[in-house]
Amino acid sequence: MPFPPRPIDSTLHGATDYTAGATLMTIFPRLAGIEGTRTARQIRRAGAIHAGYSTLTSYPLGIVKVLPFKAHLAIDAIGAIALAATPFLTGQFLKGKKEWVPHVGLCMFELSSLLLTDPTDKGEFHANLEAVREANTEDPHRKIYEGPPAVVRPAAAAA
């Protein structure tokens, strides 16, 4: 059975990696209402680790490019499951929902991102750059002011 379309290529995945890592390290704990807790520290650490190995990944936004993209995706999956398991392995889930829901929610986000990422990076949704360049050279006013009007008054209303 073929996989459904996977619209996320390695460039978009990299942008998501850095954005998610920075968000987890900075504003996520405050937004989730867990600032100053053990949960916040664990999530900040996870964000830092994620951003760290993203810089080592061999994809367009990688800096050092020593980690293959497929290995990066495997680490993403393992890290997501480990993050979700952390509060249950440490017993902190007994303190309430704020101690485990952020972990599980972030795991679900990461796994859904992985399901939409094309591991081959061949992609089905790459842009036709030549068509984009050609469209960018056109005069937008020509499309607006020349030719038939886009909105026409109904004949009954015109009378």
Side-chain angles (χ1 to χ4, degrees):
M1 183 170 148
F3 283 107
R6 294 180 165 202
I8 300 176
D9 65 359
S10 61
T11 303
L12 181 56
H13 188 92
T16 304
D17 283 338
Y18 290 119
T19 303
T23 301
L24 294 179
M25 289 186 292
T26 57
I27 62 171
F28 181 82
R30 190 173 334 116
L31 293 174
I34 56 173
E35 188 72 52
T37 66
R38 183 178 183 185
T39 299
R41 288 188 299 277
Q42 291 167 341
I43 288 174
R44 280 196 168 100
R45 245 181 257 123
I49 291 168
H50 195 91
Y53 70 82
S54 294
T55 63
L56 302 175
T57 301
S58 181
Y59 58 16
L61 298 180
I63 297 171
V64 179
K65 301 183 190 234
V66 294
L67 182 66
F69 184 52
K70 287 184 180 181
H72 171 101
L73 297 176
I75 294 170
D76 280 351
I78 293 166
I81 293 166
L83 183 64
T86 299
F88 301 100
L89 295 174
T90 62
Q92 71 194 70
F93 75 97
L94 298 170
K95 296 178 184 174
K97 286 185 178 182
K98 284 190 174 187
E99 298 293 330
W100 65 270
V101 169
H103 293 77
V104 173
L106 290 169
C107 172
M108 291 170 52
F109 169 79
E110 182 71 39
L111 293 178
S112 63
S113 171
L114 289 172
L115 286 175
L116 294 172
T117 299
D118 177 11
T120 65
D121 199 32
K122 292 178 182 156
E124 301 167 18
F125 298 97
H126 288 282
N128 179 347
L129 294 180
E130 288 307 312
V132 171
R133 287 185 183 113
E134 183 180 329
N136 286 339
T137 62
E138 291 184 35
D139 178 20
H141 291 130
R142 183 191 61 79
K143 291 184 176 183
I144 296 170
Y145 297 115
E146 294 176 13
V151 178
V152 180
R153 182 180 294 230

